[in-house]
Amino acid sequence: MDFNQLSYNDHTLFHMLRHFEYVNEQARICLNDRGYSMESIDENLAMPGSKFHSSFATDIKSLVAQLKIGKQIQIQERKKYQEIVLSFEKFNLADGIGSMGICLLNELDTLNAKQPVLKFNRGVQLWHSLVSKLPNTYEMTVVLKKQKNSYFLITAFPGLPALPIPHKKMNLVELELSKEFWKDKVFLEKVKSKK
């Protein structure tokens, strides 16, 4: 896959805010100029989930530069999308590329996580649990849509492939598969330190 052929827009960047620990000032200004409020930018950045460390990427441009040094370990075709899993060398990134914001219910004990609770996340009740430290990862998933002369970036996030969160626009089969996938997944949230 030649990541030089990758295209994206401001909507992609806004969606991907939830996968960054931090976005640089230029990205904030770009989104604000295109009608996204600073409040909505901050809300999306604060959403629980897997996030790229600020030392790895702070916007899509810096993320695409990193894609070029990752090793492609899996490519999966899904309808009109292509899902690529990349792995990064540990000696280059001591803390990994990002933090894992999702785990299986049966993995909570190994993370010393609090008892999970159901909370609304993107309009759906999903499991959430507090942890003192989010686990790091050296793998990431990139989802692309093939276009005539390029690939359009749909999303990218630290960790292995996941199904989309259930939503009303899904057909019945996709909705049931998504519900089944998320029933034993837990969003991890870092315990806020007391000041």
Side-chain angles (χ1 to χ4, degrees), residues 15 18-19 44 47-50 83 101-102 119-128 143 154-155 157 161-171 173-183 185-188:
H15 161 78
R18 62 191 72 172
H19 297 303
N44 275 272
M47 279 185 174
S50 300
E83 214 171 57
I102 297 170
K119 285 173 47 176
F120 276 99
N121 186 332
R122 298 166 207 162
V124 180
Q125 276 206 327
L126 298 167
W127 291 110
H128 289 70
V143 181
I154 300 299
T155 192
F157 49 88
L163 290 181
I165 290 174
H167 59 84
K168 293 175 186 173
K169 292 181 182 176
M170 290 179 160
N171 66 43
V173 173
E174 290 171 336
L175 185 61
E176 288 309 310
L177 285 171
S178 181
K179 284 179 180 177
E180 184 65 25
F181 177 84
W182 285 101
K183 77 177 184 183
K185 306 299 183 297
V186 182
F187 275 90
L188 300 172

Side-chain angles (χ1 to χ4, degrees), residues 6 39 41-42 51 69 107 135 141-142 157 164 171 190:
L6 211 53
E39 184 182 60
I41 292 168
D42 289 336
K51 296 184 182 283
I69 63 169
E107 295 173 335
T141 299
V142 181
F157 49 88
N171 66 43
K190 193 172 176 185

Side-chain angles (χ1 to χ4, degrees), residues 136-155:
N136 290 321
T137 184
Y138 293 88
E139 296 169 321
M140 71 179 288
T141 299
V142 181
V143 181
L144 308 173
K145 185 176 182 180
K146 177 85 171 110
Q147 306 214 290
K148 195 170 187 176
N149 298 315
S150 67
Y151 285 89
F152 187 81
L153 177 65
I154 300 299
T155 192

Side-chain angles (χ1 to χ4, degrees), residues 104-115:
L104 291 167
L105 271 168
N106 64 11
E107 295 173 335
L108 290 175
D109 285 346
T110 62
L111 298 172
N112 294 320
K114 304 280 185 204
Q115 186 67 29

Side-chain angles (χ1 to χ4, degrees), residues 8-33:
Y8 53 89
N9 59 26
D10 53 300
H11 180 72
T12 309
L13 176 57
F14 184 73
H15 161 78
M16 283 194 52
L17 287 174
R18 62 191 72 172
H19 297 303
F20 289 105
E21 283 178 347
Y22 164 86
V23 288
N24 61 46
E25 200 57 33
Q26 189 176 351
R28 283 178 164 277
I29 291 167
C30 173
L31 286 170
N32 194 236
D33 287 349

Side-chain angles (χ1 to χ4, degrees), residues 15 37 40 66 71 101 105-107 110 131 135 137 159 166 184 194:
H15 161 78
S37 71
S40 66
Q66 295 284 28
K71 180 183 176 189
L105 271 168
N106 64 11
E107 295 173 335
T110 62
V131 291
T137 184
D184 66 347
K194 295 175 183 170

